[in-house]
Short mmCIF file of all heavy atoms in Angstrom, two decimals:
data_model
loop_
_atom_site.label_atom_id
_atom_site.label_comp_id
_atom_site.label_asym_id
_atom_site.label_seq_id
_atom_site.Cartn_x
_atom_site.Cartn_y
_atom_site.Cartn_z
N GLY A 1 29.81 -8.82 -20.24
CA GLY A 1 29.39 -7.50 -20.99
C GLY A 1 28.01 -7.15 -20.99
O GLY A 1 27.12 -7.94 -20.53
N ARG A 2 27.70 -6.01 -21.42
CA ARG A 2 26.23 -5.41 -21.27
C ARG A 2 25.29 -6.12 -22.20
O ARG A 2 24.20 -6.35 -21.85
CB ARG A 2 26.31 -3.90 -21.65
CG ARG A 2 25.03 -3.12 -21.35
CD ARG A 2 25.23 -1.72 -21.76
NE ARG A 2 25.51 -1.47 -23.19
CZ ARG A 2 24.48 -1.55 -24.13
NH1 ARG A 2 23.33 -1.78 -23.91
NH2 ARG A 2 24.86 -1.33 -25.34
N GLY A 3 25.78 -6.49 -23.41
CA GLY A 3 24.77 -7.03 -24.40
C GLY A 3 24.86 -8.54 -24.46
O GLY A 3 24.24 -8.99 -25.39
N GLU A 4 25.45 -9.10 -23.43
CA GLU A 4 25.53 -10.57 -23.62
C GLU A 4 24.24 -11.36 -23.59
O GLU A 4 24.01 -12.29 -24.37
CB GLU A 4 26.37 -11.08 -22.38
CG GLU A 4 27.82 -11.25 -22.76
CD GLU A 4 28.73 -11.70 -21.54
OE1 GLU A 4 28.11 -11.90 -20.50
OE2 GLU A 4 29.92 -11.67 -21.80
N ARG A 5 23.26 -10.89 -22.85
CA ARG A 5 21.93 -11.54 -22.76
C ARG A 5 21.05 -11.07 -23.81
O ARG A 5 20.00 -11.75 -23.92
CB ARG A 5 21.38 -11.24 -21.38
CG ARG A 5 22.08 -12.06 -20.21
CD ARG A 5 21.61 -11.66 -18.85
NE ARG A 5 22.51 -12.15 -17.88
CZ ARG A 5 22.20 -12.83 -16.90
NH1 ARG A 5 20.92 -13.14 -16.75
NH2 ARG A 5 23.01 -13.43 -15.97
N GLU A 6 21.28 -10.01 -24.40
CA GLU A 6 20.43 -9.44 -25.59
C GLU A 6 20.39 -10.47 -26.67
O GLU A 6 21.41 -11.02 -27.05
CB GLU A 6 20.96 -8.15 -26.08
CG GLU A 6 20.29 -6.91 -25.33
CD GLU A 6 21.07 -5.61 -25.86
OE1 GLU A 6 21.16 -5.52 -27.05
OE2 GLU A 6 21.39 -4.86 -25.03
N MET A 7 19.15 -10.70 -27.14
CA MET A 7 18.93 -11.55 -28.32
C MET A 7 19.55 -10.80 -29.54
O MET A 7 19.22 -9.61 -29.71
CB MET A 7 17.54 -11.91 -28.60
CG MET A 7 16.96 -12.78 -27.53
SD MET A 7 17.71 -14.37 -27.68
CE MET A 7 16.81 -15.00 -29.12
N CYS A 8 20.37 -11.41 -30.28
CA CYS A 8 20.83 -10.91 -31.65
C CYS A 8 19.99 -11.25 -32.81
O CYS A 8 20.12 -12.33 -33.31
CB CYS A 8 22.26 -11.18 -31.77
SG CYS A 8 23.09 -10.55 -33.19
N LEU A 9 19.01 -10.48 -33.05
CA LEU A 9 18.01 -10.75 -34.10
C LEU A 9 17.98 -9.72 -35.21
O LEU A 9 18.55 -8.67 -35.04
CB LEU A 9 16.57 -10.94 -33.51
CG LEU A 9 16.35 -11.94 -32.40
CD1 LEU A 9 15.06 -11.78 -31.77
CD2 LEU A 9 16.51 -13.34 -32.99
N GLY A 10 17.36 -10.13 -36.25
CA GLY A 10 17.31 -9.21 -37.37
C GLY A 10 18.55 -8.70 -37.95
O GLY A 10 19.51 -9.34 -38.28
N SER A 11 18.69 -7.28 -37.95
CA SER A 11 19.80 -6.62 -38.57
C SER A 11 21.18 -7.05 -37.71
O SER A 11 22.19 -7.13 -38.26
CB SER A 11 19.59 -5.08 -38.53
OG SER A 11 19.33 -4.64 -37.23
N CYS A 12 20.86 -7.20 -36.39
CA CYS A 12 22.04 -7.55 -35.62
C CYS A 12 22.67 -8.91 -36.06
O CYS A 12 23.76 -9.10 -36.18
CB CYS A 12 21.61 -7.58 -34.09
SG CYS A 12 22.83 -8.35 -33.04
N ALA A 13 21.78 -9.84 -36.34
CA ALA A 13 22.18 -11.21 -36.77
C ALA A 13 22.93 -11.19 -38.06
O ALA A 13 23.93 -11.82 -38.26
CB ALA A 13 21.00 -12.19 -36.88
N TYR A 14 22.36 -10.31 -38.99
CA TYR A 14 23.07 -10.24 -40.25
C TYR A 14 24.39 -9.63 -40.09
O TYR A 14 25.42 -9.99 -40.78
CB TYR A 14 22.26 -9.39 -41.20
CG TYR A 14 21.08 -10.22 -41.88
CD1 TYR A 14 19.76 -9.88 -41.61
CD2 TYR A 14 21.37 -11.28 -42.70
CE1 TYR A 14 18.75 -10.56 -42.09
CE2 TYR A 14 20.36 -11.95 -43.31
CZ TYR A 14 19.04 -11.64 -43.00
OH TYR A 14 17.94 -12.34 -43.63
N ALA A 15 24.47 -8.53 -39.33
CA ALA A 15 25.79 -7.79 -39.08
C ALA A 15 26.82 -8.78 -38.38
O ALA A 15 28.00 -8.77 -38.87
CB ALA A 15 25.60 -6.67 -38.06
N ARG A 16 26.41 -9.64 -37.43
CA ARG A 16 27.24 -10.61 -36.84
C ARG A 16 27.72 -11.66 -37.79
O ARG A 16 28.89 -12.02 -37.80
CB ARG A 16 26.53 -11.23 -35.63
CG ARG A 16 27.45 -12.15 -34.83
CD ARG A 16 26.70 -12.57 -33.53
NE ARG A 16 26.64 -11.55 -32.69
CZ ARG A 16 26.00 -11.65 -31.35
NH1 ARG A 16 25.50 -12.83 -31.11
NH2 ARG A 16 25.87 -10.63 -30.54
N ARG A 17 26.74 -12.06 -38.70
CA ARG A 17 27.12 -13.07 -39.67
C ARG A 17 28.15 -12.54 -40.66
O ARG A 17 29.12 -13.21 -41.19
CB ARG A 17 25.89 -13.54 -40.46
CG ARG A 17 25.97 -14.86 -41.13
CD ARG A 17 24.69 -15.32 -41.68
NE ARG A 17 23.60 -15.50 -40.64
CZ ARG A 17 22.33 -15.39 -40.80
NH1 ARG A 17 21.88 -15.03 -42.12
NH2 ARG A 17 21.51 -15.62 -39.96
N GLY A 18 27.95 -11.30 -41.03
CA GLY A 18 28.89 -10.64 -41.88
C GLY A 18 30.31 -10.57 -41.40
O GLY A 18 31.30 -10.85 -42.00
N SER A 19 30.41 -10.33 -40.03
CA SER A 19 31.76 -10.31 -39.47
C SER A 19 32.32 -11.67 -39.40
O SER A 19 33.67 -11.77 -39.51
CB SER A 19 31.58 -9.80 -37.94
OG SER A 19 30.98 -8.55 -37.95
N ILE A 20 31.63 -12.67 -39.21
CA ILE A 20 32.11 -14.12 -39.21
C ILE A 20 32.56 -14.47 -40.63
O ILE A 20 33.79 -14.92 -40.75
CB ILE A 20 31.00 -15.00 -38.76
CG1 ILE A 20 30.72 -14.81 -37.28
CG2 ILE A 20 31.47 -16.51 -38.99
CD1 ILE A 20 29.45 -15.52 -36.89
N TYR A 21 31.83 -14.09 -41.61
CA TYR A 21 32.39 -14.42 -43.00
C TYR A 21 33.62 -13.60 -43.28
O TYR A 21 34.51 -14.14 -43.89
CB TYR A 21 31.21 -14.10 -44.00
CG TYR A 21 30.13 -15.20 -44.21
CD1 TYR A 21 28.79 -14.85 -44.06
CD2 TYR A 21 30.53 -16.39 -44.51
CE1 TYR A 21 27.83 -15.86 -44.27
CE2 TYR A 21 29.56 -17.43 -44.65
CZ TYR A 21 28.30 -17.06 -44.49
OH TYR A 21 27.31 -18.08 -44.62
N TYR A 22 33.62 -12.35 -42.75
CA TYR A 22 34.73 -11.52 -43.14
C TYR A 22 36.09 -12.20 -42.47
O TYR A 22 37.06 -12.20 -43.11
CB TYR A 22 34.54 -10.04 -42.56
CG TYR A 22 35.59 -9.19 -42.90
CD1 TYR A 22 35.69 -8.66 -44.25
CD2 TYR A 22 36.62 -8.73 -42.03
CE1 TYR A 22 36.65 -7.71 -44.58
CE2 TYR A 22 37.62 -7.94 -42.39
CZ TYR A 22 37.64 -7.43 -43.64
OH TYR A 22 38.65 -6.59 -43.98
N LYS A 23 35.87 -12.64 -41.28
CA LYS A 23 37.01 -13.26 -40.57
C LYS A 23 37.47 -14.56 -41.33
O LYS A 23 38.54 -14.83 -41.20
CB LYS A 23 36.62 -13.59 -39.13
CG LYS A 23 36.75 -12.28 -38.22
CD LYS A 23 36.22 -12.72 -36.77
CE LYS A 23 36.13 -11.41 -35.95
NZ LYS A 23 34.97 -11.57 -35.03
N LEU A 24 36.52 -15.20 -41.94
CA LEU A 24 36.81 -16.34 -42.67
C LEU A 24 37.40 -16.07 -44.00
O LEU A 24 37.83 -16.98 -44.82
CB LEU A 24 35.54 -17.23 -42.91
CG LEU A 24 35.01 -17.81 -41.65
CD1 LEU A 24 33.65 -18.59 -41.95
CD2 LEU A 24 35.96 -18.85 -41.00
N GLY A 25 37.39 -14.74 -44.40
CA GLY A 25 38.00 -14.37 -45.65
C GLY A 25 37.09 -14.32 -46.77
O GLY A 25 37.40 -14.10 -47.93
N ASP A 26 35.76 -14.49 -46.48
CA ASP A 26 34.72 -14.45 -47.54
C ASP A 26 34.11 -13.03 -47.61
O ASP A 26 33.06 -12.83 -47.02
CB ASP A 26 33.77 -15.56 -47.15
CG ASP A 26 32.78 -15.88 -48.37
OD1 ASP A 26 32.63 -14.93 -49.29
OD2 ASP A 26 32.12 -16.89 -48.38
N VAL A 27 34.80 -12.17 -48.22
CA VAL A 27 34.37 -10.74 -48.25
C VAL A 27 33.01 -10.58 -48.97
O VAL A 27 32.24 -9.72 -48.54
CB VAL A 27 35.45 -9.91 -48.96
CG1 VAL A 27 35.06 -8.37 -49.02
CG2 VAL A 27 36.72 -10.07 -48.09
N GLN A 28 32.83 -11.39 -49.99
CA GLN A 28 31.59 -11.32 -50.71
C GLN A 28 30.35 -11.65 -49.92
O GLN A 28 29.40 -10.88 -49.77
CB GLN A 28 31.61 -12.15 -51.97
CG GLN A 28 30.53 -11.92 -52.94
CD GLN A 28 30.64 -12.75 -54.24
OE1 GLN A 28 31.59 -13.57 -54.22
NE2 GLN A 28 29.76 -12.58 -55.12
N ARG A 29 30.36 -12.69 -49.07
CA ARG A 29 29.25 -13.11 -48.26
C ARG A 29 29.12 -12.06 -47.15
O ARG A 29 28.02 -11.73 -46.73
CB ARG A 29 29.42 -14.45 -47.78
CG ARG A 29 29.00 -15.55 -48.77
CD ARG A 29 28.53 -16.82 -47.95
NE ARG A 29 28.01 -17.77 -48.87
CZ ARG A 29 28.81 -18.85 -49.37
NH1 ARG A 29 30.14 -18.84 -49.10
NH2 ARG A 29 28.21 -19.65 -50.15
N ALA A 30 30.25 -11.58 -46.60
CA ALA A 30 30.28 -10.64 -45.59
C ALA A 30 29.59 -9.39 -46.02
O ALA A 30 28.64 -8.85 -45.32
CB ALA A 30 31.66 -10.25 -45.12
N THR A 31 29.90 -8.83 -47.26
CA THR A 31 29.24 -7.62 -47.79
C THR A 31 27.76 -7.84 -48.01
O THR A 31 26.98 -6.92 -47.74
CB THR A 31 29.94 -7.38 -49.12
OG1 THR A 31 31.30 -7.26 -48.89
CG2 THR A 31 29.34 -5.99 -49.60
N ILE A 32 27.31 -9.07 -48.43
CA ILE A 32 25.92 -9.34 -48.60
C ILE A 32 25.20 -9.16 -47.33
O ILE A 32 24.08 -8.55 -47.26
CB ILE A 32 25.70 -10.74 -49.26
CG1 ILE A 32 26.22 -10.76 -50.72
CG2 ILE A 32 24.28 -11.12 -49.22
CD1 ILE A 32 26.35 -12.11 -51.29
N ASN A 33 25.73 -9.91 -46.25
CA ASN A 33 25.01 -9.82 -44.98
C ASN A 33 25.01 -8.42 -44.34
O ASN A 33 24.02 -8.03 -43.70
CB ASN A 33 25.75 -10.86 -43.98
CG ASN A 33 25.30 -12.31 -44.19
OD1 ASN A 33 24.21 -12.68 -43.90
ND2 ASN A 33 26.07 -13.07 -45.02
N TRP A 34 26.10 -7.73 -44.56
CA TRP A 34 26.09 -6.30 -44.00
C TRP A 34 25.20 -5.45 -44.71
O TRP A 34 24.45 -4.59 -44.11
CB TRP A 34 27.58 -5.71 -44.11
CG TRP A 34 28.48 -6.33 -43.04
CD1 TRP A 34 28.13 -6.73 -41.78
CD2 TRP A 34 29.94 -6.48 -43.13
NE1 TRP A 34 29.23 -7.18 -41.16
CE2 TRP A 34 30.29 -7.03 -41.89
CE3 TRP A 34 30.83 -6.30 -44.21
CZ2 TRP A 34 31.70 -7.29 -41.59
CZ3 TRP A 34 32.13 -6.59 -43.86
CH2 TRP A 34 32.50 -7.08 -42.68
N ASN A 35 25.02 -5.68 -46.11
CA ASN A 35 23.99 -4.86 -46.84
C ASN A 35 22.68 -5.16 -46.39
O ASN A 35 21.75 -4.32 -46.27
CB ASN A 35 24.19 -5.04 -48.35
CG ASN A 35 25.25 -4.16 -48.85
OD1 ASN A 35 25.36 -2.96 -48.61
ND2 ASN A 35 26.24 -4.81 -49.58
N LEU A 36 22.39 -6.42 -46.07
CA LEU A 36 21.01 -6.81 -45.58
C LEU A 36 20.81 -6.19 -44.26
O LEU A 36 19.59 -5.70 -44.03
CB LEU A 36 20.88 -8.29 -45.52
CG LEU A 36 20.79 -9.03 -46.81
CD1 LEU A 36 20.97 -10.54 -46.68
CD2 LEU A 36 19.30 -8.84 -47.47
N ALA A 37 21.67 -6.20 -43.42
CA ALA A 37 21.58 -5.58 -41.98
C ALA A 37 21.29 -4.16 -42.21
O ALA A 37 20.35 -3.63 -41.44
CB ALA A 37 22.88 -5.69 -41.17
N LEU A 38 21.98 -3.40 -43.14
CA LEU A 38 21.72 -1.98 -43.32
C LEU A 38 20.38 -1.65 -43.91
O LEU A 38 19.71 -0.70 -43.61
CB LEU A 38 22.87 -1.43 -44.24
CG LEU A 38 23.18 0.05 -44.02
CD1 LEU A 38 23.49 0.35 -42.61
CD2 LEU A 38 24.26 0.48 -44.96
N ARG A 39 19.90 -2.57 -44.74
CA ARG A 39 18.58 -2.49 -45.36
C ARG A 39 17.50 -2.59 -44.35
O ARG A 39 16.45 -1.87 -44.35
CB ARG A 39 18.35 -3.54 -46.54
CG ARG A 39 17.16 -3.27 -47.37
CD ARG A 39 17.15 -4.15 -48.53
NE ARG A 39 18.27 -4.18 -49.36
CZ ARG A 39 18.54 -5.06 -50.29
NH1 ARG A 39 17.77 -6.19 -50.32
NH2 ARG A 39 19.61 -4.99 -51.09
N MET A 40 17.67 -3.52 -43.42
CA MET A 40 16.72 -3.66 -42.31
C MET A 40 16.79 -2.57 -41.28
O MET A 40 15.77 -2.16 -40.78
CB MET A 40 17.03 -4.98 -41.52
CG MET A 40 16.71 -6.24 -42.38
SD MET A 40 17.20 -7.76 -41.51
CE MET A 40 15.70 -7.92 -40.50
N ASP A 41 18.00 -1.98 -41.03
CA ASP A 41 18.12 -0.96 -40.11
C ASP A 41 19.07 0.05 -40.64
O ASP A 41 20.32 0.00 -40.39
CB ASP A 41 18.75 -1.60 -38.82
CG ASP A 41 18.99 -0.43 -37.69
OD1 ASP A 41 18.46 0.73 -37.96
OD2 ASP A 41 19.46 -0.79 -36.67
N PRO A 42 18.51 1.08 -41.33
CA PRO A 42 19.36 2.14 -42.08
C PRO A 42 20.15 2.97 -41.04
O PRO A 42 21.10 3.72 -41.38
CB PRO A 42 18.29 2.93 -42.81
CG PRO A 42 17.16 2.07 -42.92
CD PRO A 42 17.07 1.20 -41.72
N GLU A 43 19.77 2.87 -39.76
CA GLU A 43 20.46 3.69 -38.71
C GLU A 43 21.69 2.95 -38.17
O GLU A 43 22.27 3.32 -37.10
CB GLU A 43 19.51 4.11 -37.64
CG GLU A 43 18.36 4.76 -38.14
CD GLU A 43 18.62 6.27 -38.65
OE1 GLU A 43 19.24 6.94 -37.94
OE2 GLU A 43 18.29 6.49 -39.79
N TYR A 44 21.93 1.72 -38.65
CA TYR A 44 23.02 0.87 -38.18
C TYR A 44 24.35 1.42 -38.57
O TYR A 44 24.97 1.05 -39.47
CB TYR A 44 22.82 -0.49 -38.70
CG TYR A 44 23.29 -1.65 -37.76
CD1 TYR A 44 22.56 -2.84 -37.63
CD2 TYR A 44 24.41 -1.46 -37.04
CE1 TYR A 44 22.90 -3.77 -36.81
CE2 TYR A 44 24.83 -2.49 -36.17
CZ TYR A 44 24.18 -3.72 -36.12
OH TYR A 44 24.53 -4.72 -35.19
N ASP A 45 24.84 2.42 -37.84
CA ASP A 45 26.09 3.17 -38.10
C ASP A 45 27.34 2.30 -38.18
O ASP A 45 28.13 2.43 -39.00
CB ASP A 45 26.36 4.42 -37.24
CG ASP A 45 25.34 5.49 -37.48
OD1 ASP A 45 24.88 5.60 -38.58
OD2 ASP A 45 25.04 6.26 -36.56
N ASP A 46 27.42 1.28 -37.32
CA ASP A 46 28.56 0.38 -37.28
C ASP A 46 28.72 -0.33 -38.66
O ASP A 46 29.79 -0.31 -39.21
CB ASP A 46 28.34 -0.63 -36.18
CG ASP A 46 28.60 -0.04 -34.81
OD1 ASP A 46 29.11 1.14 -34.74
OD2 ASP A 46 28.32 -0.77 -33.78
N VAL A 47 27.55 -0.82 -39.08
CA VAL A 47 27.63 -1.52 -40.35
C VAL A 47 27.89 -0.58 -41.50
O VAL A 47 28.73 -0.92 -42.46
CB VAL A 47 26.34 -2.30 -40.61
CG1 VAL A 47 26.24 -2.88 -42.03
CG2 VAL A 47 26.14 -3.34 -39.55
N ARG A 48 27.35 0.60 -41.48
CA ARG A 48 27.53 1.57 -42.48
C ARG A 48 28.96 1.95 -42.57
O ARG A 48 29.61 2.08 -43.68
CB ARG A 48 26.73 2.85 -42.22
CG ARG A 48 26.77 3.88 -43.40
CD ARG A 48 26.10 5.16 -42.92
NE ARG A 48 24.61 4.97 -42.46
CZ ARG A 48 23.68 4.88 -43.44
NH1 ARG A 48 23.99 4.93 -44.74
NH2 ARG A 48 22.45 4.66 -43.11
N ASN A 49 29.63 2.12 -41.45
CA ASN A 49 31.09 2.51 -41.38
C ASN A 49 31.98 1.37 -42.01
O ASN A 49 32.93 1.65 -42.70
CB ASN A 49 31.43 2.83 -39.99
CG ASN A 49 30.76 4.20 -39.48
OD1 ASN A 49 30.51 4.95 -40.33
ND2 ASN A 49 30.69 4.31 -38.20
N VAL A 50 31.60 0.18 -41.65
CA VAL A 50 32.41 -1.09 -42.15
C VAL A 50 32.25 -1.04 -43.63
O VAL A 50 33.27 -1.24 -44.33
CB VAL A 50 31.93 -2.30 -41.47
CG1 VAL A 50 32.42 -3.53 -42.24
CG2 VAL A 50 32.34 -2.40 -40.07
N LEU A 51 31.12 -0.95 -44.24
CA LEU A 51 30.90 -1.09 -45.63
C LEU A 51 31.52 0.17 -46.26
O LEU A 51 32.25 -0.10 -47.39
CB LEU A 51 29.47 -1.02 -45.99
CG LEU A 51 28.70 -2.35 -45.73
CD1 LEU A 51 27.19 -2.10 -45.79
CD2 LEU A 51 29.13 -3.30 -46.75
N LYS A 52 31.57 1.34 -45.74
CA LYS A 52 32.35 2.47 -46.23
C LYS A 52 33.75 2.27 -46.27
O LYS A 52 34.40 2.45 -47.36
CB LYS A 52 31.99 3.70 -45.40
CG LYS A 52 32.41 5.01 -46.07
CD LYS A 52 31.87 6.29 -45.28
CE LYS A 52 32.37 7.47 -45.71
NZ LYS A 52 33.01 8.34 -44.68
N ALA A 53 34.34 1.69 -45.22
CA ALA A 53 35.80 1.47 -45.22
C ALA A 53 36.11 0.40 -46.14
O ALA A 53 37.18 0.46 -46.89
CB ALA A 53 36.25 0.99 -43.69
N LEU A 54 35.40 -0.65 -46.19
CA LEU A 54 35.54 -1.71 -47.29
C LEU A 54 35.59 -1.18 -48.69
O LEU A 54 36.41 -1.61 -49.42
CB LEU A 54 34.47 -2.77 -47.01
CG LEU A 54 34.75 -4.14 -47.45
CD1 LEU A 54 35.85 -4.84 -46.61
CD2 LEU A 54 33.51 -5.08 -47.22
N HIS A 55 34.65 -0.30 -48.95
CA HIS A 55 34.51 0.20 -50.21
C HIS A 55 35.73 1.07 -50.60
O HIS A 55 36.27 0.97 -51.66
CB HIS A 55 33.23 1.02 -50.40
CG HIS A 55 32.90 1.49 -51.71
ND1 HIS A 55 32.62 0.67 -52.70
CD2 HIS A 55 32.88 2.80 -52.29
CE1 HIS A 55 32.39 1.34 -53.82
NE2 HIS A 55 32.61 2.60 -53.65
N GLU A 56 36.18 1.93 -49.66
CA GLU A 56 37.34 2.83 -49.88
C GLU A 56 38.56 1.91 -50.00
O GLU A 56 39.47 2.25 -50.90
CB GLU A 56 37.47 3.71 -48.64
CG GLU A 56 36.41 4.85 -48.72
CD GLU A 56 36.33 5.71 -47.48
OE1 GLU A 56 37.08 5.38 -46.58
OE2 GLU A 56 35.46 6.59 -47.46
N ASN A 57 38.74 0.96 -49.16
CA ASN A 57 39.84 0.01 -49.34
C ASN A 57 39.91 -0.68 -50.61
O ASN A 57 41.04 -0.81 -51.21
CB ASN A 57 39.85 -0.97 -48.15
CG ASN A 57 40.18 -0.34 -46.77
OD1 ASN A 57 40.78 0.69 -46.74
ND2 ASN A 57 39.81 -1.14 -45.74
N ARG A 58 38.79 -1.06 -51.10
CA ARG A 58 38.68 -1.86 -52.35
C ARG A 58 39.14 -0.99 -53.50
O ARG A 58 39.68 -1.40 -54.50
CB ARG A 58 37.23 -2.34 -52.54
CG ARG A 58 37.17 -3.28 -53.67
CD ARG A 58 35.83 -3.93 -53.73
NE ARG A 58 35.62 -4.90 -52.77
CZ ARG A 58 34.51 -5.47 -52.33
NH1 ARG A 58 33.43 -5.18 -53.02
NH2 ARG A 58 34.43 -6.31 -51.37
N LEU A 59 38.70 0.35 -53.35
CA LEU A 59 39.11 1.27 -54.49
C LEU A 59 40.61 1.56 -54.48
O LEU A 59 41.24 1.77 -55.44
CB LEU A 59 38.37 2.59 -54.28
CG LEU A 59 36.96 2.55 -54.58
CD1 LEU A 59 36.20 3.93 -54.23
CD2 LEU A 59 36.57 2.19 -56.02
N LYS A 60 41.22 1.58 -53.24
CA LYS A 60 42.67 1.72 -53.10
C LYS A 60 43.53 0.60 -53.65
O LYS A 60 44.50 0.78 -54.23
CB LYS A 60 43.04 2.14 -51.65
CG LYS A 60 42.70 3.56 -51.33
CD LYS A 60 43.16 3.81 -49.87
CE LYS A 60 42.26 4.93 -49.27
NZ LYS A 60 42.06 4.90 -47.91
N SER A 61 43.10 -0.59 -53.16
CA SER A 61 43.88 -1.73 -53.56
C SER A 61 42.94 -2.99 -53.64
O SER A 61 41.93 -3.01 -52.80
CB SER A 61 44.97 -2.06 -52.58
OG SER A 61 44.45 -2.63 -51.36
N THR A 62 43.30 -3.92 -54.40
CA THR A 62 42.51 -5.06 -54.61
C THR A 62 43.11 -6.32 -53.94
O THR A 62 42.95 -7.35 -54.38
CB THR A 62 42.38 -5.46 -56.14
OG1 THR A 62 43.58 -5.42 -56.73
CG2 THR A 62 41.49 -4.35 -56.79
N SER A 63 44.00 -6.06 -52.97
CA SER A 63 44.67 -7.06 -52.30
C SER A 63 43.82 -8.08 -51.46
O SER A 63 44.18 -9.22 -51.31
CB SER A 63 45.78 -6.51 -51.30
OG SER A 63 45.09 -5.83 -50.30
N MET A 64 42.56 -7.59 -51.26
CA MET A 64 41.69 -8.51 -50.45
C MET A 64 40.95 -9.44 -51.34
O MET A 64 40.31 -10.42 -50.99
CB MET A 64 40.70 -7.67 -49.68
CG MET A 64 41.34 -6.93 -48.56
SD MET A 64 40.05 -5.92 -47.66
CE MET A 64 39.09 -7.17 -46.94
N ILE A 65 41.00 -9.11 -52.71
CA ILE A 65 40.16 -9.94 -53.64
C ILE A 65 41.10 -10.97 -54.28
O ILE A 65 42.02 -10.54 -54.86
CB ILE A 65 39.43 -9.01 -54.66
CG1 ILE A 65 38.55 -8.08 -53.99
CG2 ILE A 65 38.79 -9.91 -55.71
CD1 ILE A 65 38.06 -6.92 -54.90
N GLU A 66 40.83 -12.25 -53.98
CA GLU A 66 41.55 -13.26 -54.60
C GLU A 66 41.08 -13.73 -55.95
O GLU A 66 39.80 -13.96 -56.16
CB GLU A 66 41.60 -14.50 -53.80
CG GLU A 66 41.89 -14.25 -52.32
CD GLU A 66 43.51 -14.34 -52.06
OE1 GLU A 66 44.13 -15.14 -52.80
OE2 GLU A 66 44.10 -13.67 -51.23
N ASP A 67 41.92 -13.74 -56.97
CA ASP A 67 41.43 -14.12 -58.32
C ASP A 67 41.60 -15.59 -58.55
O ASP A 67 42.81 -16.02 -58.38
CB ASP A 67 42.10 -13.23 -59.41
CG ASP A 67 41.21 -12.19 -60.04
OD1 ASP A 67 39.98 -12.32 -59.76
OD2 ASP A 67 41.64 -11.39 -60.76
#
């Protein structure tokens, strides 16, 4: 792929970490990392869209949140 050799630093690293936590089912840590990525890079549309979708899904149903 095109970005394989690119270093994933800063906002990219937080975004990637968020994705890993999300896959592990740790939505809280995922959200924290994604928010940090967005704070470092406000133009990070991929992360913004994920957070927006997550927020909308959470409002619709709480099935992702385990009590």
Side-chain angles (χ1 to χ4, degrees):
R2 189 179 62 80
E4 265 173 7
R5 289 171 192 234
E6 266 175 48
M7 290 291 286
C8 181
L9 299 168
S11 56
C12 170
Y14 282 113
R16 187 171 288 178
R17 199 174 298 154
S19 300
I20 292 166
Y21 278 126
Y22 186 77
K23 281 175 190 146
L24 293 172
D26 196 338
V27 179
Q28 193 175 3
R29 276 207 178 91
T31 306
I32 289 166
N33 279 283
W34 283 331
N35 277 311
L36 284 167
L38 206 57
R39 195 176 297 165
M40 292 175 80
D41 182 6
E43 305 293 305
Y44 212 140
D45 287 333
D46 286 347
V47 175
R48 187 188 299 279
N49 291 337
V50 166
L51 283 168
K52 190 172 172 232
L54 204 61
H55 188 65
E56 285 166 3
N57 289 339
R58 188 171 292 169
L59 290 176
K60 278 180 210 156
S61 77
T62 52
S63 60
M64 291 178 69
I65 300 166
E66 307 268 332
D67 255 347

